[in-house]
Amino acid sequence: MTHRPTRIGVQLAPQHTTMQATIDAARRLEEMGVDAVFGWDHFFPLSGDADGAHFEATAQLAAWAVATERVQIGPLVFCNSYRNPDLLADVARTIDHISRGRFVFGIGSGWFERDYLEYGYDFGSVGSRLDALAAALPRIRARWERLNPPPVGAMPILIGGKGERKTLPLVARHADIWHSFVGPDELPHKLDVLREQCDALGRDVDEIEVSNGASVRDGVGGVGFERLDALHAAGTRMLTIPLSGDDTPDGYALDRVPAFLEWRDRKNA
């Protein structure tokens, strides 16, 4: 496996908080030394009060792009269903310029039914949503080539999911980063499938950064980093910590982050 540094991302769920709090948290995380700050692409909270405060992804990411200077930013992940693919390509290109080339284009097929029903999108099926994503990705990449100006550089594409029949072939064809919540026992098999897909395309699987979600239990309450150690040993190189605006009475639990950064630095030593 090609040497690749271990990285730590933080996903700031834009729920149960204010927009300014998300901006302040993104700026503070950059100061702390995280490698990437991610949002998500939903229209309602996913936990806590289902009708609580919540904000839209693309405008929030643009605000983070202005407020930060070094950290990568992006969605974890855009829902392909919510926007015309060419428009989404243009939105991403624009935020990439606002951030001066720090944007990570995360995308997936979508899954949260309430978003679809309340905003008037066709929910379809898992298969139809994945087929739509497969059709959209070439359009997105082609639009980037036609836009004037184009993205600042080679904007990394992050694809989320773990399905072997449809998702992993899309990862092999399009992604620079593969993100999932696959556990350490299952990850070697998934990577074998991804390697087979890459081989069929003549692509080196090591070109793809393996990314995974950290658990809220990792490194908290006396629990160590054994699960992350196992994911790392299997090839994972980016771990993303989930934080929500109502983690504590004061908002995002940023005090959880330094332990993960110390773990990262030990891996990179």
Side-chain angles (χ1 to χ4, degrees), residues 131-206:
D131 289 343
L133 177 60
L137 281 163
R139 286 180 58 182
I140 289 165
R141 297 178 69 175
R143 178 57 58 184
W144 284 339
E145 293 178 358
R146 294 196 296 271
L147 286 169
N148 183 16
V152 174
M155 190 190 310
I157 296 174
L158 179 155
I159 294 178
K162 66 175 186 175
E164 297 178 17
R165 191 166 68 89
K166 293 189 175 184
T167 301
L168 291 182
L170 290 177
V171 172
R173 184 172 296 276
H174 296 287
D176 302 287
I177 306 169
W178 169 48
H179 183 83
S180 76
F181 296 94
V182 171
D185 293 339
E186 187 183 10
L187 183 58
H189 168 70
K190 295 293 184 182
L191 287 174
D192 284 343
V193 173
L194 181 59
R195 185 175 294 103
E196 292 172 2
Q197 294 292 331
C198 286
D199 288 346
L201 294 169
R203 186 181 184 193
D204 186 349
V205 71
D206 287 344

